[in-house]
Amino acid sequence: MKSAVIVFPASNCDRDAATALKQLTGQTPHMVWHRDSELPQVDLVVLPGGFSYGDYLRCGAMASQSAIMRAIKAHADRGGAVLGICNGFQVLTEAHLLPGALMRNANLQFVCRPVALEVNETQSAFTRKYEHGQRVVFPVAHGDGNYFADDETLNRLEGEGRVALRYAPGQNPNGSARDIAGILNQKRNVLGLMPHPERVVDPLLGGTDGIKLFQGLLETLS
Amino acid sequence: MKARVFVTLKNGVLDPQGKAIANALHGLGFAGVGDVRQGKVIDIELAERDEARARATLKEMCEKLLANTVIEKYEIELQA
Amino acid sequence: MKARVFVTLKNGVLDPQGKAIANALHGLGFAGVGDVRQGKVIDIELAERDEARARATLKEMCEKLLANTVIEKYEIELQA
Amino acid sequence: MKVRIDVTQASPIITPELVREHGLSEAEYGRIKQLLNREPSLVELGIFSVMWSEHCSYKSTRIHLKKLPTKATHVLQGPGENAGVIDIGDGDAAIFKMESHNHPSFIEPYQGAATGVGGIMRDVFTMGARPIAMMNALRFGEPTHPKTRHLVKGVVAGIGGYGNCMGVPTVGGEVNFHRSYNGNILVNAMCVGLARADNIFLSAAKGAGNPVVYIGSKTGRDGIHGATMASAEFDDASDEKRPTVQVGDPFTEKLLLEACLELMATDAIIAIQDMGAAGLTSSSAEMGDKGGSGIELDLDKVPQREENMTAYEMMLSESQERMLAVLKPGREAEAQAIFRKWELDFAVIGITTDTKRLVVKHKGQVVADMPITALSDEAPVYDRPYAERPPASGNPAFDAGKPLLESLVTIIASPDMCSRRWVWEQYDHSVMADTVQGPGGDAAVVRVHGSNKGLAITTDVSPRYCFADPYEGAKQAVAEAWRNISAVGAKPLAVTDNLNFGNPEKPDTMYQIVAGVNGIGEACRALDFPVISGNCSLYNETNGEGILPTPAIGAVGLMADVHRMAAIGFRREGDTLILIGRNHGHLGQSIYLREIEGREDGAAPPVHLTEEKRHGDFVRNLIEQGTADTVHDLSDGGLLVAVAEMAMAGGIGAELVAAPDATASIPFFFGEDQGRYLIAAAADTARRIADAAEKAGIPHALIGRTINRKLLSVAGAGEVTLERLSTAHENWFPDYMGGLEPPPVN
Ligand SMILES: Nc1ncnc2c1ncn2[C@@H]1O[C@H](COP(=O)(O)OP(=O)(O)O)[C@@H](O)[C@H]1O
Ligand SMILES: [Mg+2]
């Protein structure tokens, strides 16, 4: 499986994503600068966490206008896999590759902690290795992870089985609508999520629950 | 030309910042404070001198970047 | 009564957000964009009906909470 | 400072009042005239005022700091550069320093703390290191003080706001509350970076004819006279005298970090230095001074954010996110391309010379021309008088009838002892995917990326001990830092300090400083723990009321294999608990006395450095061999608090034996004797540990075991559930911060 990690100004989980990809796929990902207009030949594009453009104006807003985003849209349209983690999720919503928006956490504070999630949909390359309803623990680290969409959109997301991950009952760290932690696009080849699977791929660092996400991708895309 | 753009949350979108301010104002003893909403104001200097063209450009800026129309609405004010 | 409070950075105080917005607008091809400054707008519903008293209360709110007067200034607008 | 307004390029008449406003004494001004052989220009006066300020010149502390041990074979760079550097093997180097941003954080907590974080990060990456961990040591006024909540909220948000955006994990720190900080909070931030030992960048601008380049953000009228402000006392009128507060721009700093590291991968740099306090002035003067060269600046070339800035303003501006570098001639274009890619300002603003003078030009005029040594070597040095005070003494009486476990609950729910989760959950502590031990343990541990090595990091000081006994208290701070690093299984390597004190012109305060530095020196020598960097923050006084002496110690240690790291949480039921170290039941200055008896008296606990070293070496050895994996050092609150912390962290209960002397139960369980550790190990391992201790002549005692019920019991004193303990421990902070006090809007 070939992958690319996009580097925006002030991305800061780009190295973490690359390390996890290398460890779990055996291949070093391409690091792609946001101003490039073309993607290398890859199966997976990762938009990493961080504070692209300092999170100024709105998280992900300026990054969503980067030159590389057009190529990423084309890649997604062709059915290529796109994974947006944290800031990457914000960029995907701002770029309208995923519906809704991520607003300021309900308590207005940044939050970094391990959070229990439930895998709500296993019908995707990202989640196929998990069991339906399985509980996993990923850390969150964000100030703007409060997922918002209108009721119609939320109903559709749920109806179409596109809510991939939910915060376990009582664990919602940010006030997200319907405890949504991660969603899929209609074609199920684009996943955006606030928690960080790339930070739980090593038992030394607080868990290995993120490994299956990358394994699922590896099996599907290789 | 100087322009002022207001970007505020659409009605119906929850505004945690506004709510926090309202609570804080109550806490400070300000009675009679109802709903509070917080938005952004962006002041922009433009070289453009034609009002209609300026307005059109600003609208495009809002749609493309300044506002996220999924949750926000915007208003444009021109100051000659 | 409805009030609108503008809280903006004092002149001379660095506005990283404004700077980044200006750069982004240039990057999007909007020519002729000069200085950009970002501030907050806070809309407040007040039970008070007397304009002078409302203004005094709002001023107190700004000084105590809404503005950080070390780096920010504020303007108050009343809408009947 | 009113002076800004009437600055003209023509030499104004320098009045005694103007001199005073610049924080210079009459004698100092006389000295300046002597050194220049004439009256200074206004720009020169400004330059002298910042360079001769306490903050930049260390005039009150310099002669004392010289006594600190700074050398060891693993020290690659001691004090004198932007940060200290130690060798951590395999060609790797750790670079670290701690610095205060106390005054700005009191005036504007969010921006003050944020720019403090930004400043210390620049000190570290200007030397070629990628920052890999941040710590913060915070002291606030008493919780009931009307400003405290607002300050806590702003400072914590500011530290998180900056560090999180930089993508550097904030892995630990300290938070204390005490009324002595009501008017002077302390915000000390520490940054640890990682570099290759053969690629360290220094600030000596050697050689003439080399381009001096400016990189980063534009210069504005930010924080003019910040350095002099950090060197003056506050009074009630300080509110009006506030210079413009700097606003941090972490986004630009992140770009600056990446751009600098990219440039550092080339060999274009001769010297580089961040612009911290006193910006362009101190960076250029220090680089020239260290390089033995002169520097000529043309201010018209400085990237400016505002119009009509005067030379005075540019030289004194403290705009953030800026660096000054000297390049090899002909390498400007290559450097510029890198900064352009990262969308940062880049300008050649001067040249090095062989005159050893700092020459500043503006609009075709020379506005300053002075020998650089006048700013550095010739800066005043004071041996300020001090009044020795006998330390507080005695072991205070206490009410022996108070119920043990109820007191425990009270203590672990008190402001200084409760969980800091509310604080550190606002910091990204796992970004960079190398945080092996985050906040909450004895020391944080960060893996050296791509290896099995780990750096253990801690910051410590107990100001109440330092107030009672500045010498023993300072020793204790070093010993505790050393102990914390040993407790996770790392070898303590070096120290950075942040000496926070009141007004050095007061003989009492000066004594605290002198005794404090002596205590640090003594402990560092005994523990083989050199001081490689540091910072002094004096004049922490408001209306004549000084802070508790607070010499914060930051320290770094190295472990060979992070898989062997020890942590505080109980791991197994049925483990035996072994106490290492002697229990004298020292209650003077203890948390117990303060929280339960409402008294702050008695002698500070004495620190026996040879015992400290033997006990620590013993425990570290056990961890390194894989014999011990559950270890906690004993500090604030003593034995019972340590056991409770281990139980809460592991979610496993414990039962403890009664105190050997039933009438001395309180000192046994709450005494704060130094040099102690608690180990939990399986029964047979525990026996081996006890045997080894016996052989080595190390005091030890079996004091209980972990159990399969979630409670803590003490023979003869009842029990308390872990749930009750945890609730009490976790709730204080969120309850306090959730109170009605309004949050700041930003
Ligand atoms: N208390 C101290 N102990 C040891 N070294 C110190 C102490 N205070 C300052 N130093 C050292 O003196 C030098 C100057 O400090 P400072 O002016 O704070 O540096 P910078 O301007 O780079 O922040 C640094 O190398 C610092 O490490
Ligand atoms: Mg420095």
Side-chain angles (χ1 to χ4, degrees):
Chain A
M1 182 183 84
K2 293 203 181 95
S3 58
V5 176
I6 311 300
V7 185
F8 298 104
S11 285
N12 64 31
C13 303
D14 43 339
R15 188 188 79 175
D16 304 359
T19 305
L21 284 166
K22 170 108 200 291
Q23 176 194 330
L24 298 168
T25 72
Q27 288 197 49
T28 308
H30 297 268
M31 305 306 281
V32 177
W33 185 233
H34 71 115
R35 269 207 226 117
D36 292 353
S37 49
E38 271 169 59
L39 281 171
Q41 278 293 326
V42 293
D43 308 296
L44 169 71
V45 173
V46 177
L47 285 79
F51 285 68
S52 59
Y53 294 94
D55 274 358
Y56 297 158
L57 186 64
R58 285 184 319 279
C59 303
M62 298 188 203
S64 75
Q65 303 291 330
S66 294
I68 196 64
M69 287 310 293
R70 193 169 302 179
I72 293 173
K73 274 182 199 157
H75 169 83
D77 286 344
R78 286 194 301 271
V82 178
L83 171 63
I85 303 168
C86 198
N87 190 230
F89 185 14
Q90 294 161 344
V91 175
L92 289 174
T93 59
E94 284 282 343
H96 303 300
L97 277 158
L98 290 171
L102 291 146
M103 303 186 44
R104 200 66 193 274
N105 292 351
N107 73 353
L108 305 181
Q109 283 174 12
F110 187 96
V111 57
C112 176
R113 72 163 77 115
V115 173
L117 308 168
E118 284 173 6
V119 181
N120 195 47
E121 285 299 332
T122 54
Q123 306 284 319
S124 81
F126 308 94
T127 51
R128 57 192 292 258
K129 298 285 284 180
Y130 297 97
E131 318 253 310
H132 181 82
Q134 184 179 340
R135 271 208 177 202
V136 293
V137 175
F138 294 179
V140 296
H142 60 248
D144 299 76
N146 181 355
Y147 185 74
F148 173 88
D150 55 36
D151 280 332
E152 193 191 316
T153 307
L154 292 170
N155 291 339
R156 206 175 70 234
L157 284 172
E158 287 181 332
E160 294 173 359
R162 290 164 54 193
V163 177
L165 294 153
R166 273 192 220 276
Y167 300 112
Q171 296 264 321
N172 187 334
N174 52 35
S176 279
R178 304 191 195 177
D179 294 330
I180 287 174
I183 55 168
L184 292 158
N185 68 341
Q186 206 155 14
K187 278 165 52 186
R188 316 180 84 77
N189 61 325
V190 177
L191 172 72
L193 77 171
M194 288 313 296
H196 287 270
E198 83 284 13
R199 293 190 194 179
V200 270
V201 295
D202 184 340
L204 201 60
L205 304 176
T208 52
D209 284 354
I211 290 179
K212 284 186 170 157
L213 185 144
F214 294 95
Q215 282 175 343
L217 287 165
L218 185 61
E219 281 182 19
T220 316
L221 303 177
S222 291
Chain B
M1 186 167 321
K2 282 191 173 177
R4 179 159 258 200
V5 174
F6 299 97
V7 180
T8 49
L9 288 169
K10 286 183 176 167
N11 298 335
V13 176
L14 212 70
D15 175 11
Q17 272 159 302
K19 214 171 76 184
I21 295 174
N23 287 341
L25 289 174
H26 294 149
L28 283 173
F30 289 102
V33 174
D35 202 30
V36 177
R37 308 277 288 171
Q38 181 178 322
K40 285 182 271 238
V41 50
I42 301 164
D43 289 313
I44 306 180
E45 273 176 17
L46 287 176
E48 182 61 67
R49 281 151 170 256
D50 178 83
E51 200 176 311
R53 275 202 302 265
R55 206 170 275 282
T57 308
L58 287 161
K59 179 151 193 260
E60 206 189 326
M61 288 178 185
C62 287
E63 294 283 339
K64 271 206 180 147
L65 182 72
L66 301 181
N68 177 350
T69 51
V70 174
I71 46 173
E72 294 169 328
K73 58 189 192 320
Y74 58 87
E75 286 162 67
I76 293 166
E77 225 178 73
L78 285 178
Q79 296 150 352
Chain C
M1 183 165 326
K2 279 192 175 174
R4 178 159 258 200
V5 174
F6 299 98
V7 180
T8 49
L9 288 167
K10 287 183 179 166
N11 297 335
V13 174
L14 174 72
D15 177 9
Q17 308 224 48
K19 197 174 81 179
I21 294 172
N23 286 343
L25 290 174
H26 295 150
L28 285 173
F30 290 102
V33 173
D35 202 33
V36 176
R37 307 276 290 172
Q38 179 178 324
K40 286 181 282 229
V41 49
I42 302 162
D43 290 313
I44 306 180
E45 274 176 17
L46 287 177
E48 182 61 65
R49 282 150 169 257
D50 178 82
E51 202 176 307
R53 272 203 301 267
R55 206 170 275 280
T57 308
L58 286 162
K59 178 148 192 260
E60 204 189 327
M61 289 178 181
C62 286
E63 293 284 338
K64 277 204 177 148
L65 179 76
L66 302 180
N68 176 354
T69 50
V70 179
I71 47 176
E72 293 171 327
K73 59 188 190 319
Y74 57 88
E75 287 162 67
I76 294 167
E77 225 178 72
L78 285 177
Q79 297 150 351
Chain D
M1 291 269 160
K2 298 193 285 273
V3 288
R4 173 153 63 78
I5 305 136
D6 26 281
V7 171
T8 55
Q9 295 299 338
S11 226
I13 297 151
I14 290 174
T15 60
E17 199 207 349
L18 196 57
V19 170
R20 229 181 358 262
E21 278 181 3
H22 279 76
L24 292 163
S25 71
E26 227 170 280
E28 286 169 343
Y29 185 65
R31 202 64 206 292
I32 290 172
K33 285 195 290 192
Q34 224 174 36
L35 286 166
L36 291 181
N37 244 326
R38 59 174 163 81
E39 294 255 331
S41 71
L42 182 59
V43 176
E44 289 168 337
L45 182 70
I47 290 175
F48 271 109
S49 92
V50 291
M51 291 304 292
W52 285 17
S53 69
E54 187 63 56
H55 187 81
C56 291
S57 73
Y58 291 90
K59 57 189 168 193
S60 303
T61 53
R62 199 188 285 186
I63 60 165
H64 302 287
L65 294 176
K66 281 212 187 99
K67 293 180 280 188
L68 293 173
T70 59
K71 294 204 166 66
T73 47
H74 61 271
V75 174
L76 301 179
Q77 173 68 56
E81 275 292 335
N82 287 302
V85 185
I86 54 173
D87 185 344
I88 56 166
D90 313 305
D92 296 322
I95 301 189
F96 61 92
K97 184 174 181 214
M98 176 152 53
E99 193 157 82
S100 62
H101 229 207
N102 302 337
H103 291 75
S105 301
F106 184 77
I107 290 172
E108 210 311 277
Y110 185 98
Q111 297 297 345
T115 50
V117 168
I120 191 63
M121 282 197 190
R122 280 195 300 286
D123 268 333
V124 166
F125 72 75
T126 194
M127 297 196 69
R130 178 174 285 283
I132 59 167
M134 294 295 299
M135 303 283 286
N136 57 101
L138 313 177
R139 321 278 159 191
F140 298 103
E142 57 201 331
T144 49
H145 189 273
K147 275 195 170 154
T148 300
R149 208 179 258 118
H150 167 73
L151 291 168
V152 172
K153 181 154 190 137
V155 165
V156 170
I159 289 171
Y162 210 102
N164 297 343
C165 181
M166 289 296 290
V168 180
T170 300
V171 292
E174 296 176 274
V175 186
N176 280 173
F177 297 89
H178 191 274
R179 63 178 179 281
S180 80
Y181 306 107
N182 280 353
N184 290 83
I185 62 170
L186 303 183
V187 175
N188 297 170
M190 172 175 170
C191 177
V192 182
L194 186 65
R196 294 298 293 171
D198 59 4
N199 204 35
I200 307 289
F201 291 81
L202 303 180
S203 57
K206 292 204 182 89
N210 301 318
V212 176
V213 305
Y214 171 116
I215 47 203
S217 277
K218 292 187 185 358
T219 295
R221 294 188 174 100
D222 305 288
I224 300 206
H225 273 310
T228 22
M229 169 171 81
S231 310
E233 263 185 58
F234 273 8
D235 56 35
D236 287 331
S238 298
D239 273 21
E240 275 67 60
K241 278 200 237 148
R242 284 166 182 175
T244 337
V245 168
Q246 300 113 289
V247 168
D249 181 359
F251 169 56
T252 296
E253 176 118 325
K254 168 73 172 159
L255 303 186
L256 188 61
L257 163 66
E258 300 301 336
C260 283
L261 293 180
E262 204 172 310
L263 180 61
M264 285 162 170
T266 74
D267 65 347
I269 299 176
I270 292 174
I272 182 164
Q273 153 101 12
D274 66 296
M275 292 193 223
L280 211 42
T281 289
S282 68
S283 55
S284 54
E286 279 169 26
M287 287 173 89
D289 180 43
K290 293 202 183 111
S293 61
I295 293 210
E296 206 175 294
L297 299 178
D298 179 358
L299 297 183
D300 297 328
K301 307 245 171 71
V302 169
Q304 294 160 45
R305 198 174 79 224
E306 293 176 65
E307 285 167 17
N308 304 321
M309 289 188 67
T310 64
Y312 181 93
E313 290 170 327
M314 274 188 265
M315 288 307 287
L316 267 56
S317 160
E318 298 197 343
S319 291
Q320 302 288 297
E321 293 92 21
R322 302 180 299 163
M323 298 271 200
L324 199 64
V326 175
L327 300 182
K328 294 182 184 163
R331 307 295 290 273
E332 298 90 327
E334 185 185 341
Q336 178 161 24
I338 292 171
F339 287 89
R340 185 133 312 142
K341 170 186 160 193
W342 291 98
E343 300 184 32
L344 293 165
D345 274 294
F346 175 98
V348 178
I349 63 164
I351 191 160
T352 59
T353 64
D354 58 7
T355 62
K356 301 198 177 185
R357 294 183 80 80
L358 177 62
V359 177
V360 182
K361 292 183 183 159
H362 188 224
K363 301 195 167 155
Q365 274 193 313
V366 173
V367 294
D369 182 353
M370 54 225 291
I372 287 179
T373 48
L375 301 172
S376 52
D377 298 356
E378 302 293 340
V381 171
Y382 297 131
D383 186 357
R384 297 201 187 272
Y386 55 89
E388 187 161 349
R389 272 265 182 100
S393 61
N395 216 352
F398 56 93
D399 172 2
K402 291 257 164 74
L404 211 57
L405 292 170
E406 287 310 311
S407 295
L408 172 66
V409 174
T410 306
I411 286 172
I412 60 160
S414 66
D416 273 1
M417 299 296 290
C418 69
S419 166
R420 272 75 181 103
R421 186 184 303 277
W422 184 90
V423 174
W424 51 255
E425 279 194 346
Q426 294 184 59
Y427 305 148
D428 191 341
H429 42 84
S430 54
V431 64
M432 293 187 95
D434 283 311
T435 305
V436 187
Q437 183 159 166
D442 284 332
V445 178
V446 175
R447 184 171 59 182
V448 173
H449 196 65
S451 80
N452 277 331
K453 284 191 296 196
L455 293 179
I457 311 165
T458 184
T459 68
D460 294 285
V461 62
S462 305
R464 63 184 193 281
Y465 296 167
C466 297
F467 184 69
D469 187 338
Y471 179 75
E472 281 302 310
K475 269 168 67 184
Q476 193 277 339
V478 174
E480 186 173 345
W482 191 88
R483 202 182 309 142
N484 276 324
I485 287 175
S486 298
V488 296
K491 178 161 178 27
L493 289 182
V495 160
T496 180
D497 63 46
N498 204 146
L499 307 180
N500 308 277
F501 289 93
N503 181 349
E505 293 160 43
K506 294 186 178 168
D508 281 349
T509 308
M510 196 60 218
Y511 174 66
Q512 294 174 339
I513 298 172
V514 174
V517 172
N518 286 343
I520 292 173
E522 162 82 13
C524 287
R525 264 185 297 272
L527 297 171
D528 207 357
F529 209 20
V531 178
I532 62 161
S533 61
N535 175 246
C536 295
S537 170
L538 309 184
Y539 296 97
N540 290 290
E541 290 204 14
T542 297
N543 298 332
E545 189 93 20
I547 57 164
L548 295 183
T550 312
I553 299 295
V556 171
L558 177 68
M559 69 176 70
D561 183 359
V562 286
H563 296 89
R564 293 232 163 136
M565 175 188 79
I568 71 167
F570 287 143
R571 298 175 197 244
R572 296 161 295 264
E573 293 162 5
D575 269 7
T576 301
L577 305 183
I578 317 155
L579 174 66
I580 301 291
R582 227 178 283 278
N583 195 334
H584 300 284
H586 185 103
L587 274 185
Q589 300 297 334
S590 65
I591 288 289
Y592 181 87
L593 275 192
R594 195 179 76 189
E595 297 300 327
I596 305 299
E597 301 270 348
R599 303 164 49 181
E600 300 177 52
D601 58 356
V607 181
H608 302 287
L609 292 165
T610 42
E611 278 184 20
E612 189 74 56
K613 181 137 175 32
R614 282 176 56 230
H615 302 175
D617 288 345
F618 177 77
V619 170
R620 184 179 333 103
N621 245 314
L622 296 174
I623 301 169
E624 282 171 347
Q625 290 161 5
T627 309
D629 61 3
T630 310
V631 179
H632 193 5
D633 81 303
L634 267 55
S635 54
D636 286 345
L639 175 59
L640 197 55
V641 166
V643 174
E645 286 169 347
M646 295 175 85
M648 289 186 286
I652 292 175
E655 59 186 27
L656 301 182
V657 298
D661 170 1
T663 63
S665 188
I666 285 170
F668 178 81
F669 282 111
F670 292 111
E672 297 185 1
D673 305 287
Q674 301 295 299
R676 297 187 300 162
Y677 299 80
L678 193 58
I679 301 174
D684 53 332
T685 313
R687 227 166 292 127
R688 276 192 290 131
I689 293 173
D691 285 348
E694 191 65 45
K695 262 198 213 112
I698 295 200
H700 59 98
L702 304 185
I703 58 131
R705 60 192 192 94
T706 59
I707 55 176
N708 67 357
R709 294 162 62 210
K710 292 189 184 302
L711 53 82
L712 188 59
S713 76
V714 176
E719 59 186 44
V720 56
T721 63
L722 291 195
E723 198 193 334
R724 185 164 166 230
L725 283 174
S726 293
T727 307
H729 188 55
E730 293 295 342
N731 282 3
W732 186 86
F733 233 113
D735 284 354
Y736 175 64
M737 293 309 297
L740 279 180
E741 187 82 5
V745 196
N746 14 327

